[in-house]
Amino acid sequence: MVEEQTKVTSSHWGAFRITASNGRIVSTAPFEHDLAPSEIASAIPAAIHHRSRVARPSIRKGWLENEDRVKERRGSDEFIELPWDEALDIAAKELKCVRENYGNGAIFGGSYGWSSAGRFHHAQSQVHRFLNTIGGYVSSFGSYSTAAAQAIMPHVFGTNFLKFIWEHQNSWPMIAEHTQTLVMFGGINPKNSQVSMGGVTRHETASRFDEFKQRGIRCVNISPQQTDAPDGAEWLPIIPGTDTAMMLALAWVLETESLLDRDFLDRCTTGYEHFRRYLLGDTDGQPKTPVWASALCGIDSQTIEVLARHMAAHRTLITVAWSLQRAENGEQPYWMAATLAAMLGQIGLPGGGIGYGYGAIGGLGVSVKRLGGLTFPQGENPVKDFIPVARIADMLLSPGTSYDFNGESRHYPDIKLVYWCGGNPFHHHQDLNRLQKAFNQPDTIIVHEPWWTATAQRADIVFPATTPYEREDIGRAQGDAYLFHMPQMIPPVEESRNDYDIFSGLAQRLGVSGVFTESRDSAQWQHYMYEAFEREARESGVDVPSFEELKQSNWVELPIAGPEYSATPFADFRSDPQRFPLGTPSGRIEIYSSTIAGFNYPEDPGHSVWRPPVEWLGSDHAGQFPLHLVSPQPGDKLHSQLECAIADRPGERPAPLSINPVDAACRRIDTGALVRVFNNRGACLARAVLTESVREGVVVLPTGAWFSPGSDTIDSQGNPNVLTRDRGTSRIGQGSSAHSTLVEVIPFPK
Ligand SMILES: Nc1nc2c(c(=O)[nH]1)N[C@H]1C(S)=C(S)[C@@H](COP(=O)(O)OP(=O)(O)OC[C@H]3O[C@@H](n4cnc5c(=O)[nH]c(N)nc54)[C@H](O)[C@@H]3O)O[C@H]1N2
Ligand SMILES: Nc1nc2c(c(=O)[nH]1)N[C@H]1C(S)=C(S)[C@@H](COP(=O)(O)OP(=O)(O)OC[C@H]3O[C@@H](n4cnc5c(=O)[nH]c(N)nc54)[C@H](O)[C@@H]3O)O[C@H]1N2
Ligand SMILES: [Mo]
C-alpha cells in the first residue's frame, strides 16, 4: 500500500475524496462535480480508527460457558476474544446444530439495514446468499422506510412501490417546466436528499428549488416543521398524523364545488362513487368538510378551501413524504393523496399528479436512463416464510401467534438463531426496551459489525467487519449517472475481515464452499459482476469503460443523464386506459379496491378513510403525554452510522430536541437545557433547542444516537426509539409506526 494517497470513493451520502497515510484514513474532501457536498464524510477519519471498532471475533461469555446461555445477560455480559479459526468453528457448529434440530425455518436472516454502499460488499446480499446456500432462512418483507406504501400502492396503482417512485414520477426538469403549484405533505427536505441507496453524486434538490423560485412555482409545505422545505415555501403547520383528514377536506371542496375532473374519474379510475358516499358523510354521518378537518389537523378551514380551489385551477403536483406512512394508519395518507390527485384529474399530464418521497432521498426526480446489473446474486431461498420487516419483536416474543398481513392470516415462526449483517435493529426498531426483551428469546444471535453498536453488544457471536475503505468495490446507484471504482485505502483495521470472507470461512466449514464462492475470490466476483454490467449496458446502447479503465480513472460520468430520459408518468394510460391498463384488477386507479374490501377488516371499507391513531394530539393519551414526538432522520449523519465520531464532538450528545418556545416556556425550559423526554415505554435525555419552526404541541428528536440505557434505564444519548410505539401501521402493511408517539418533556434533573 502506498504511503499517502487520495482517491475518490462513493457512499450512500455521495462521492468524496479520501486521503490515507501510513495505513490510516486522515481526511476527506468534497468531490468536484457535487453541487452541494454532504458534510457526513467528515466523521469518517475519526470513526474508522475509533476505540469502538470490534477488534477481533468475540463471543459472549455466558453463551460460551453456560448450557442455558444466560440469555438475559445479553447487553451486560462480557465478551471473550477468540482467534478467527476457533470463532468460525463455533459459529459453523451452532448453525449446523440449529439446522439439524429445528430446520432452516428457525433461522431469521432478514437482517434489515443500510450497511455501506458498494455493489459487491453489500452486506444483505452477502448474508442472504450465504444463508440460501445452507438451506434458507426466514426473511422479511418491505423496508422501515416504506413498508406501508409497499403494501398499499400495488392495490391502488398496480405497481410495485419502488418501481413507481423510480419510473412513474415527474422528473425535476418536468416539474420546473410545467408545475405551477407544488403541494408537499411532509415537505421536501434537501437535508434528507443528502442520502440515497448506493449514492447520489450531484445533490441537486436544493438547486432545483432555487429554480422553482425563479420560475414562480408556488410551493406549499404542509408539515409540523417549517424547515421541512427550502426557504420561500408557504408553511401550513399541520398536526402530525392528520394529513388524511386534511386531504379529505380538500377532496370535499372539489366534490361540492364541482371542481373535479369527472371525465378522468370515469375513464381512469374505479370506485369513486363508493368513496364519494363516505366523503359526503352518507355512510358514517360525517361530511368531511374543511370545518371538520380543521378541528383535527389544526389548519384553518378557510385555508383548506382556498387551497383546494387553487389546486384545481393550476397544474398541481401533490407530493407526500415517506414519513407520513411511518405512522399508525400510514397506508391512508398515501391512498388518499392518490385519490385527491385522481379527482384533480392531472395524473398523466406533465408536471401534474402525484409523487412520493422526492425529498426522502436524493436521486428521485433526476432524469437518468435506467441501467440494470452490478448485483451480487443471492440465489434462491428454499424457506418461503417471512415477516413484515418491522414485526421482529412480535415474532421473537410470540412464536406461533397469528397475525394479519395484507389480506393473509399468518403465524410467527419459532426462531432459534438470528443472523444480522449490515443493520442495526437497536437503531431502527421501535420501543427498544421491548426489543431488548425480544432479543433475550433466541438461543443464538450472530452479528457482523465494524463497531460495537448496541446490537453487537447484545449478540452472542460478533465478527468484526471491514468498512468500505478497507476493501475494494464498485459504486453505482439508481438515479445517478456516475460509476465509481472504490479503491482499498488502508488494510483492514485490527483483525476485521470482509463479510464475504467471513461467509466463505463458514461455508467451507459447512461443506458448501463451492456453492457459496463458485470458486471466485472478491476480486474475481467484481470482475464477473462488472462484465455482466458492461454487456448489459452495451446492449442497451450505453458505452461504459472496461473494469481496468474504470480502475485507472477511478470514476466516470456515464452518458445516461438528460431530459430525454424522462417521460410524463402515466401519459399512455391517461390517453388510452383500455390499451395501456394498470396492473390493478380493474386496470385503473383503484379509489375503491374490492381486494381490500375483501380482506374483511372492519376498519378498512375498501377506500381511504380517516382513522385516528391511538397516539396523536387529539387522543385521550394526550392528557398525560401532551407532546407529539416526530423522530426524523438526522441531518448530520446516516441513521446510526459514524455515531461514535459524532458523539465525541463537544456538545453533540445527548441529541437535540426541537421544541416550540410556547411549549418550552410553560415547562421552564431554556435553549441548551438538559431535558428528560418520556412516556410509559421509556425515557431519554435530550438538549432543548427552542424554535418557532416547530408547531406548538410537537417536539422533534432525530434518530441516530446509539441506544445507551443507564442503570436508571434513562437513555443518556437521546435515542427516540426508547419512546416510539412498536405496533404495525395497520393490518394492511404492518410497517413501522415510529411517528405516532406521544411524550412529555421536563427539565432534568427533576
Ligand atoms: N424512530 C424512528 N426510527 C426509525 C426511523 C424513523 O424515522 N424514526 N426510520 C427508519 C428507517 S427509514 C430506516 S431505513 C432505519 C435505518 O436502520 P439501519 O439501516 O439498521 O441503520 P444503520 O445505522 O444504517 O445501520 C447499518 C449498520 O450496518 C453497519 N455496517 C456498515 N457497513 C457494513 C458492512 O460492510 N458490513 C457489516 N456487517 N456491517 C456494516 C453499520 O455500522 C451500522 O451499524 O431506521 C428506521 N428507524
Ligand atoms: N441526512 C440523512 N438523510 C437521510 C437519512 C439519514 O439517516 N440522514 N435516511 C434516509 C432514509 S433511510 C429514509 S427512509 C429517508 C426518510 O425520508 P422521510 O420519511 O421524508 O424523512 P423523515 O426525516 O422521517 O421525515 C420528514 C419530515 O416529515 C415530517 N412529518 C413527520 N410526521 C408527519 C406527519 O404526520 N405529517 C406531515 N405532514 N409531516 C410529518 C417531519 O417534520 C419530518 O421532518 O431519509 C433518507 N435520507
Ligand atoms: Mo429508510
Side-chain angles (χ1 to χ4, degrees):
M1 206 137 295
V2 288
E3 279 212 340
E4 172 156 328
Q5 60 167 343
T6 299
K7 292 277 188 180
V8 173
T9 194
S10 167
S11 71
H12 294 307
W13 49 88
F16 57 96
R17 291 191 170 276
I18 183 162
T19 301
S21 178
N22 293 318
R24 291 180 72 84
I25 302 295
V26 290
S27 62
T28 62
F31 177 52
E32 57 272 21
H33 284 218
D34 197 342
L35 304 174
S38 164
E39 290 285 320
I40 296 177
S42 68
I44 288 173
I48 297 306
H49 304 286
H50 199 264
R51 60 188 178 283
S52 60
R53 284 295 295 263
V54 182
R56 277 165 283 281
S58 301
I59 304 200
R60 187 171 66 80
K61 194 164 187 279
W63 185 89
L64 198 60
E65 295 177 354
N66 295 60
E67 211 160 300
D68 72 350
R69 295 179 167 177
V70 282
K71 301 188 256 181
E72 67 289 352
R73 244 191 252 159
R74 285 189 182 122
S76 58
D77 213 349
E78 271 175 63
F79 280 87
I80 298 170
E81 294 186 339
L82 290 177
W84 269 105
D85 273 352
E86 267 180 62
L88 286 169
D89 285 347
I90 292 170
K93 189 172 159 221
E94 180 64 13
L95 280 161
K96 187 162 180 281
C97 206
V98 171
R99 285 167 61 208
E100 281 170 7
N101 291 335
Y102 307 102
N104 284 68
I107 299 176
F108 180 70
S111 190
Y112 181 78
W114 270 55
S115 62
S116 296
R119 301 309 306 149
F120 173 67
H121 295 288
H122 179 247
Q124 278 66 36
S125 304
Q126 293 284 345
V127 63
H128 293 158
R129 178 180 173 90
F130 168 70
L131 292 173
N132 284 339
T133 58
I134 64 162
Y137 62 96
V138 175
S139 59
S140 53
F141 170 84
S143 66
Y144 276 73
S145 318
T146 61
Q150 284 169 274
I152 190 76
M153 296 314 288
H155 294 299
V156 181
F157 280 102
T159 316
N160 169 298
F161 180 65
L162 299 178
K163 199 170 157 62
F164 187 101
I165 58 173
W166 290 113
E167 295 177 22
H168 299 292
Q169 300 201 153
N170 279 278
S171 65
W172 293 128
M174 290 177 61
I175 298 172
E177 197 179 335
H178 300 283
T179 306
Q180 295 170 308
T181 300
L182 193 55
V183 178
M184 307 174 285
F185 288 91
I188 290 183
N189 192 335
K191 168 206 75 159
N192 281 4
S193 315
Q194 275 179 92
V195 163
S196 192
M197 302 90 154
V200 43
T201 305
R202 285 169 53 80
H203 290 110
E204 53 191 86
T205 306
S207 64
R208 289 295 178 183
F209 272 83
D210 295 339
E211 189 186 353
F212 297 169
K213 204 190 264 179
Q214 277 166 14
R215 287 180 177 254
I217 299 178
R218 181 176 175 197
C219 296
V220 184
N221 172 29
I222 304 170
S223 195
Q225 289 196 80
Q226 186 169 21
T227 50
D228 281 331
D231 288 348
E234 295 160 44
W235 181 34
L236 301 183
I238 195 167
I239 291 175
T242 66
D243 301 80
T244 305
M246 176 163 170
M247 291 173 193
L248 278 162
L250 292 166
W252 189 89
V253 177
L254 300 183
E255 165 62 39
T256 56
E257 298 187 10
S258 293
L259 297 173
L260 37 71
D261 186 336
R262 291 223 176 261
D263 173 60
F264 183 84
L265 289 174
D266 289 346
R267 289 188 315 114
C268 298
T269 73
T270 183
Y272 180 69
E273 280 311 309
H274 274 281
F275 170 75
R276 181 173 169 273
R277 287 198 287 278
Y278 168 74
L279 183 66
L280 297 178
D282 298 348
T283 49
D284 65 351
Q286 177 58 65
K288 310 304 174 296
T289 63
V291 170
W292 164 82
S294 177
L296 302 168
C297 72
I299 307 297
D300 79 45
S301 56
Q302 196 69 35
T303 305
I304 298 175
E305 273 174 39
V306 173
L307 180 62
R309 290 178 201 132
H310 181 91
M311 288 166 78
H314 294 83
R315 182 61 55 84
T316 298
L317 180 65
I318 299 171
T319 68
V320 194
W322 292 351
S323 54
L324 271 73
Q325 50 85 66
R326 279 202 304 289
E328 191 178 347
N329 305 321
E331 295 81 4
Q332 298 306 328
Y334 267 48
W335 199 354
M336 188 54 221
T339 303
L340 184 59
M343 292 170 74
L344 287 169
Q346 299 184 20
I347 295 172
L349 297 179
I354 182 99
Y356 299 94
Y358 279 100
I361 47 171
L364 270 187
V366 176
S367 184
V368 176
K369 182 183 168 81
R370 305 279 147 228
L371 274 187
L374 279 179
T375 43
F376 180 56
Q378 300 188 5
E380 269 287 305
N381 186 353
V383 174
K384 298 301 166 210
D385 202 2
F386 70 89
I387 57 162
V389 69
R391 305 280 43 87
I392 170 89
D394 288 355
M395 171 186 76
L396 295 175
L397 289 167
S398 321
T401 305
S402 71
Y403 66 98
D404 290 316
F405 172 60
N406 209 5
E408 285 177 63
S409 175
R410 305 183 56 85
H411 290 83
Y412 290 119
D414 190 357
I415 295 300
K416 303 292 180 194
L417 186 147
V418 171
Y419 210 126
W420 225 291
C421 175
N424 186 358
F426 281 87
H427 162 76
H428 64 232
H429 197 60
Q430 286 53 71
D431 197 350
L432 293 179
N433 293 313
R434 181 170 188 255
L435 184 67
Q436 167 96 38
K437 293 191 187 97
F439 259 56
N440 286 344
Q441 304 305 314
D443 294 341
T444 302
I445 298 173
I446 308 180
V447 167
H448 296 194
E449 247 301 334
W451 286 277
W452 279 109
T453 60
T455 302
Q457 287 168 22
R458 283 158 184 77
D460 303 312
I461 303 177
V462 183
F463 289 125
T466 52
T467 69
Y469 323 105
E470 299 153 51
R471 61 197 185 207
E472 186 184 18
D473 212 333
I474 306 164
R476 183 176 141 63
Q478 295 247 42
D480 202 74
Y482 292 75
L483 178 65
F484 299 90
H485 175 242
M486 299 166 64
Q488 180 177 355
M489 303 299 297
I490 54 171
V493 168
E494 301 280 355
E495 289 185 25
S496 52
R497 287 189 182 176
N498 300 338
D499 295 306
Y500 179 70
D501 299 321
I502 303 171
F503 288 126
S504 302
L506 291 173
Q508 186 225 331
R509 284 165 174 78
L510 292 165
V512 290
S513 178
V515 190
F516 180 72
T517 66
E518 296 181 25
S519 306
R520 294 186 190 97
D521 63 16
S522 297
Q524 288 165 328
W525 268 110
Q526 287 175 40
H527 273 275
Y528 173 82
M529 285 165 56
Y530 193 88
E531 275 160 23
F533 166 73
E534 204 180 337
R535 261 197 316 276
E536 220 177 288
R538 295 227 164 106
E539 272 164 27
S540 67
V542 180
D543 193 26
V544 299
S546 71
F547 195 30
E548 289 312 317
E549 286 164 345
L550 178 65
K551 281 188 186 183
Q552 285 297 320
S553 64
N554 195 176
W555 57 271
V556 291
E557 186 179 357
L558 299 173
I560 55 170
E564 64 273 28
Y565 296 115
S566 58
T568 304
F570 299 108
D572 287 350
F573 164 69
R574 179 192 179 89
S575 69
D576 192 344
Q578 307 294 335
R579 197 162 145 226
F580 303 103
L582 302 182
T584 52
S586 61
R588 300 168 176 203
I589 299 168
E590 302 222 336
I591 291 175
Y592 176 86
S593 158
S594 43
T595 309
I596 291 182
F599 293 170
N600 292 320
Y601 301 159
E603 67 277 20
D604 280 306
H607 53 72
S608 63
V609 286
W610 156 253
R611 205 160 61 223
V614 170
E615 291 188 27
W616 71 295
L617 289 177
S619 69
D620 293 346
H621 296 266
Q624 195 181 0
F625 299 112
L627 296 169
H628 192 119
L629 174 79
V630 292
S631 45
Q633 312 291 26
D636 56 349
K637 59 209 283 282
L638 174 65
H639 312 141
S640 70
Q641 301 194 30
L642 311 176
E643 167 66 9
C644 55
I646 307 259
D648 280 353
R649 292 176 181 165
E652 285 294 327
R653 290 292 174 265
L657 176 94
S658 301
I659 182 168
N660 186 283
V662 172
D663 294 317
C666 62
R667 291 171 174 79
R668 300 184 186 286
I669 293 168
D670 292 324
T671 277
L674 205 55
V675 293
R676 180 168 177 260
V677 192
F678 65 100
N679 59 22
N680 286 335
R681 289 177 290 269
C684 70
L685 298 185
R687 263 180 305 124
V689 177
L690 274 56
T691 168
E692 279 168 1
S693 68
V694 174
R695 81 156 277 143
E696 272 181 62
V698 176
V699 289
V700 181
L701 180 62
T703 63
W706 277 357
F707 176 54
S708 312
S711 51
D712 47 7
T713 74
I714 300 180
D715 178 83
S716 60
Q717 300 290 290
N719 185 321
N721 277 327
V722 301
L723 304 159
T724 50
R725 184 164 176 263
D726 183 16
R727 286 290 177 83
T729 48
S730 84
R731 292 198 266 185
I732 297 176
Q734 292 286 13
S736 159
S737 55
H739 283 304
S740 301
T741 297
L742 291 174
V743 297
E744 178 55 294
V745 178
I746 54 171
F748 182 86
K750 190 174 170 183

PDB file of all heavy atoms in Angstrom, residues 682-702:
ATOM      1  N   GLY A 682     -40.600   4.427  27.956  1.00  0.00           N
ATOM      2  CA  GLY A 682     -39.193   4.675  28.224  1.00  0.00           C
ATOM      3  C   GLY A 682     -38.908   6.154  28.401  1.00  0.00           C
ATOM      4  O   GLY A 682     -39.816   6.986  28.403  1.00  0.00           O
ATOM      5  N   ALA A 683     -37.616   6.434  28.558  1.00  0.00           N
ATOM      6  CA  ALA A 683     -37.204   7.818  28.781  1.00  0.00           C
ATOM      7  C   ALA A 683     -35.811   8.018  28.203  1.00  0.00           C
ATOM      8  O   ALA A 683     -34.996   7.092  28.187  1.00  0.00           O
ATOM      9  CB  ALA A 683     -37.178   8.111  30.279  1.00  0.00           C
ATOM     10  N   CYS A 684     -35.559   9.235  27.730  1.00  0.00           N
ATOM     11  CA  CYS A 684     -34.196   9.558  27.304  1.00  0.00           C
ATOM     12  C   CYS A 684     -33.890  11.002  27.651  1.00  0.00           C
ATOM     13  O   CYS A 684     -34.794  11.794  27.921  1.00  0.00           O
ATOM     14  CB  CYS A 684     -34.004   9.313  25.804  1.00  0.00           C
ATOM     15  SG  CYS A 684     -34.868  10.464  24.748  1.00  0.00           S
ATOM     16  N   LEU A 685     -32.613  11.308  27.669  1.00  0.00           N
ATOM     17  CA  LEU A 685     -32.198  12.697  27.837  1.00  0.00           C
ATOM     18  C   LEU A 685     -32.116  13.351  26.463  1.00  0.00           C
ATOM     19  O   LEU A 685     -31.929  12.674  25.455  1.00  0.00           O
ATOM     20  CB  LEU A 685     -30.826  12.765  28.514  1.00  0.00           C
ATOM     21  CG  LEU A 685     -30.731  12.178  29.914  1.00  0.00           C
ATOM     22  CD1 LEU A 685     -29.331  12.438  30.489  1.00  0.00           C
ATOM     23  CD2 LEU A 685     -31.796  12.802  30.830  1.00  0.00           C
ATOM     24  N   ALA A 686     -32.221  14.676  26.447  1.00  0.00           N
ATOM     25  CA  ALA A 686     -32.022  15.426  25.209  1.00  0.00           C
ATOM     26  C   ALA A 686     -31.621  16.846  25.583  1.00  0.00           C
ATOM     27  O   ALA A 686     -31.705  17.236  26.751  1.00  0.00           O
ATOM     28  CB  ALA A 686     -33.290  15.430  24.366  1.00  0.00           C
ATOM     29  N   ARG A 687     -31.141  17.593  24.596  1.00  0.00           N
ATOM     30  CA  ARG A 687     -30.789  19.009  24.770  1.00  0.00           C
ATOM     31  C   ARG A 687     -31.857  19.842  24.098  1.00  0.00           C
ATOM     32  O   ARG A 687     -32.119  19.647  22.900  1.00  0.00           O
ATOM     33  CB  ARG A 687     -29.504  19.300  23.976  1.00  0.00           C
ATOM     34  CG  ARG A 687     -28.234  19.274  24.705  1.00  0.00           C
ATOM     35  CD  ARG A 687     -27.085  19.588  23.768  1.00  0.00           C
ATOM     36  NE  ARG A 687     -26.994  18.757  22.590  1.00  0.00           N
ATOM     37  CZ  ARG A 687     -26.980  19.218  21.347  1.00  0.00           C
ATOM     38  NH1 ARG A 687     -27.092  20.507  21.096  1.00  0.00           N
ATOM     39  NH2 ARG A 687     -26.855  18.399  20.314  1.00  0.00           N
ATOM     40  N   ALA A 688     -32.472  20.761  24.822  1.00  0.00           N
ATOM     41  CA  ALA A 688     -33.571  21.531  24.231  1.00  0.00           C
ATOM     42  C   ALA A 688     -33.047  22.575  23.248  1.00  0.00           C
ATOM     43  O   ALA A 688     -32.062  23.261  23.522  1.00  0.00           O
ATOM     44  CB  ALA A 688     -34.364  22.222  25.334  1.00  0.00           C
ATOM     45  N   VAL A 689     -33.713  22.655  22.108  1.00  0.00           N
ATOM     46  CA  VAL A 689     -33.456  23.724  21.142  1.00  0.00           C
ATOM     47  C   VAL A 689     -34.795  24.401  20.890  1.00  0.00           C
ATOM     48  O   VAL A 689     -35.718  23.777  20.365  1.00  0.00           O
ATOM     49  CB  VAL A 689     -32.900  23.156  19.814  1.00  0.00           C
ATOM     50  CG1 VAL A 689     -32.716  24.256  18.793  1.00  0.00           C
ATOM     51  CG2 VAL A 689     -31.597  22.402  20.050  1.00  0.00           C
ATOM     52  N   LEU A 690     -34.941  25.661  21.329  1.00  0.00           N
ATOM     53  CA  LEU A 690     -36.212  26.353  21.172  1.00  0.00           C
ATOM     54  C   LEU A 690     -36.299  26.925  19.761  1.00  0.00           C
ATOM     55  O   LEU A 690     -35.365  27.606  19.312  1.00  0.00           O
ATOM     56  CB  LEU A 690     -36.330  27.481  22.207  1.00  0.00           C
ATOM     57  CG  LEU A 690     -36.874  27.067  23.588  1.00  0.00           C
ATOM     58  CD1 LEU A 690     -36.043  25.957  24.195  1.00  0.00           C
ATOM     59  CD2 LEU A 690     -36.958  28.259  24.516  1.00  0.00           C
ATOM     60  N   THR A 691     -37.390  26.638  19.064  1.00  0.00           N
ATOM     61  CA  THR A 691     -37.520  27.163  17.703  1.00  0.00           C
ATOM     62  C   THR A 691     -38.983  27.286  17.291  1.00  0.00           C
ATOM     63  O   THR A 691     -39.789  26.386  17.545  1.00  0.00           O
ATOM     64  CB  THR A 691     -36.772  26.278  16.673  1.00  0.00           C
ATOM     65  OG1 THR A 691     -37.175  26.685  15.362  1.00  0.00           O
ATOM     66  CG2 THR A 691     -37.056  24.807  16.824  1.00  0.00           C
ATOM     67  N   GLU A 692     -39.287  28.416  16.657  1.00  0.00           N
ATOM     68  CA  GLU A 692     -40.651  28.615  16.166  1.00  0.00           C
ATOM     69  C   GLU A 692     -40.905  27.860  14.873  1.00  0.00           C
ATOM     70  O   GLU A 692     -42.012  27.882  14.348  1.00  0.00           O
ATOM     71  CB  GLU A 692     -40.922  30.109  16.001  1.00  0.00           C
ATOM     72  CG  GLU A 692     -41.278  30.685  17.347  1.00  0.00           C
ATOM     73  CD  GLU A 692     -41.289  32.194  17.417  1.00  0.00           C
ATOM     74  OE1 GLU A 692     -41.032  32.829  16.373  1.00  0.00           O
ATOM     75  OE2 GLU A 692     -41.543  32.701  18.516  1.00  0.00           O
ATOM     76  N   SER A 693     -39.887  27.176  14.361  1.00  0.00           N
ATOM     77  CA  SER A 693     -40.105  26.415  13.125  1.00  0.00           C
ATOM     78  C   SER A 693     -40.760  25.052  13.390  1.00  0.00           C
ATOM     79  O   SER A 693     -41.032  24.307  12.456  1.00  0.00           O
ATOM     80  CB  SER A 693     -38.788  26.242  12.364  1.00  0.00           C
ATOM     81  OG  SER A 693     -37.930  25.393  13.086  1.00  0.00           O
ATOM     82  N   VAL A 694     -41.003  24.759  14.665  1.00  0.00           N
ATOM     83  CA  VAL A 694     -41.773  23.552  15.008  1.00  0.00           C
ATOM     84  C   VAL A 694     -43.130  23.998  15.544  1.00  0.00           C
ATOM     85  O   VAL A 694     -43.181  24.910  16.373  1.00  0.00           O
ATOM     86  CB  VAL A 694     -41.056  22.747  16.117  1.00  0.00           C
ATOM     87  CG1 VAL A 694     -41.910  21.579  16.589  1.00  0.00           C
ATOM     88  CG2 VAL A 694     -39.717  22.246  15.630  1.00  0.00           C
ATOM     89  N   ARG A 695     -44.210  23.397  15.085  1.00  0.00           N
ATOM     90  CA  ARG A 695     -45.524  23.845  15.557  1.00  0.00           C
ATOM     91  C   ARG A 695     -45.710  23.516  17.044  1.00  0.00           C
ATOM     92  O   ARG A 695     -45.082  22.582  17.568  1.00  0.00           O
ATOM     93  CB  ARG A 695     -46.667  23.328  14.693  1.00  0.00           C
ATOM     94  CG  ARG A 695     -47.126  21.915  14.943  1.00  0.00           C
ATOM     95  CD  ARG A 695     -48.579  21.691  14.483  1.00  0.00           C
ATOM     96  NE  ARG A 695     -49.514  22.132  15.514  1.00  0.00           N
ATOM     97  CZ  ARG A 695     -50.668  22.733  15.290  1.00  0.00           C
ATOM     98  NH1 ARG A 695     -51.057  22.995  14.060  1.00  0.00           N
ATOM     99  NH2 ARG A 695     -51.462  23.081  16.287  1.00  0.00           N
ATOM    100  N   GLU A 696     -46.564  24.284  17.674  1.00  0.00           N
ATOM    101  CA  GLU A 696     -46.855  24.028  19.091  1.00  0.00           C
ATOM    102  C   GLU A 696     -47.415  22.619  19.256  1.00  0.00           C
ATOM    103  O   GLU A 696     -48.143  22.113  18.405  1.00  0.00           O
ATOM    104  CB  GLU A 696     -47.913  25.017  19.585  1.00  0.00           C
ATOM    105  CG  GLU A 696     -47.332  26.310  20.091  1.00  0.00           C
ATOM    106  CD  GLU A 696     -48.447  27.234  20.585  1.00  0.00           C
ATOM    107  OE1 GLU A 696     -49.173  26.861  21.544  1.00  0.00           O
ATOM    108  OE2 GLU A 696     -48.579  28.311  19.979  1.00  0.00           O
ATOM    109  N   GLY A 697     -47.053  21.987  20.361  1.00  0.00           N
ATOM    110  CA  GLY A 697     -47.565  20.643  20.636  1.00  0.00           C
ATOM    111  C   GLY A 697     -46.724  19.542  20.029  1.00  0.00           C
ATOM    112  O   GLY A 697     -47.000  18.365  20.237  1.00  0.00           O
ATOM    113  N   VAL A 698     -45.690  19.923  19.248  1.00  0.00           N
ATOM    114  CA  VAL A 698     -44.856  18.912  18.583  1.00  0.00           C
ATOM    115  C   VAL A 698     -43.415  19.074  19.058  1.00  0.00           C
ATOM    116  O   VAL A 698     -42.944  20.212  19.233  1.00  0.00           O
ATOM    117  CB  VAL A 698     -44.920  19.090  17.048  1.00  0.00           C
ATOM    118  CG1 VAL A 698     -43.977  18.113  16.342  1.00  0.00           C
ATOM    119  CG2 VAL A 698     -46.347  18.909  16.549  1.00  0.00           C
ATOM    120  N   VAL A 699     -42.743  17.983  19.310  1.00  0.00           N
ATOM    121  CA  VAL A 699     -41.295  18.030  19.556  1.00  0.00           C
ATOM    122  C   VAL A 699     -40.605  17.108  18.552  1.00  0.00           C
ATOM    123  O   VAL A 699     -41.199  16.135  18.090  1.00  0.00           O
ATOM    124  CB  VAL A 699     -40.912  17.638  21.010  1.00  0.00           C
ATOM    125  CG1 VAL A 699     -41.321  18.715  21.993  1.00  0.00           C
ATOM    126  CG2 VAL A 699     -41.501  16.282  21.405  1.00  0.00           C
ATOM    127  N   VAL A 700     -39.367  17.460  18.230  1.00  0.00           N
ATOM    128  CA  VAL A 700     -38.650  16.742  17.175  1.00  0.00           C
ATOM    129  C   VAL A 700     -37.309  16.259  17.719  1.00  0.00           C
ATOM    130  O   VAL A 700     -36.479  17.059  18.145  1.00  0.00           O
ATOM    131  CB  VAL A 700     -38.403  17.669  15.965  1.00  0.00           C
ATOM    132  CG1 VAL A 700     -37.669  16.908  14.865  1.00  0.00           C
ATOM    133  CG2 VAL A 700     -39.709  18.247  15.440  1.00  0.00           C
ATOM    134  N   LEU A 701     -37.121  14.956  17.729  1.00  0.00           N
ATOM    135  CA  LEU A 701     -35.855  14.369  18.179  1.00  0.00           C
ATOM    136  C   LEU A 701     -35.367  13.430  17.084  1.00  0.00           C
ATOM    137  O   LEU A 701     -35.947  12.365  16.868  1.00  0.00           O
ATOM    138  CB  LEU A 701     -36.078  13.602  19.492  1.00  0.00           C
ATOM    139  CG  LEU A 701     -34.851  12.912  20.117  1.00  0.00           C
ATOM    140  CD1 LEU A 701     -33.774  13.927  20.485  1.00  0.00           C
ATOM    141  CD2 LEU A 701     -35.263  12.112  21.356  1.00  0.00           C
ATOM    142  N   PRO A 702     -34.303  13.805  16.362  1.00  0.00           N
ATOM    143  CA  PRO A 702     -33.855  12.944  15.272  1.00  0.00           C
ATOM    144  C   PRO A 702     -33.329  11.602  15.769  1.00  0.00           C
ATOM    145  O   PRO A 702     -32.882  11.479  16.912  1.00  0.00           O
ATOM    146  CB  PRO A 702     -32.748  13.733  14.592  1.00  0.00           C
ATOM    147  CG  PRO A 702     -32.444  14.891  15.455  1.00  0.00           C
ATOM    148  CD  PRO A 702     -33.505  15.016  16.501  1.00  0.00           C
TER     149      PRO A 702
END
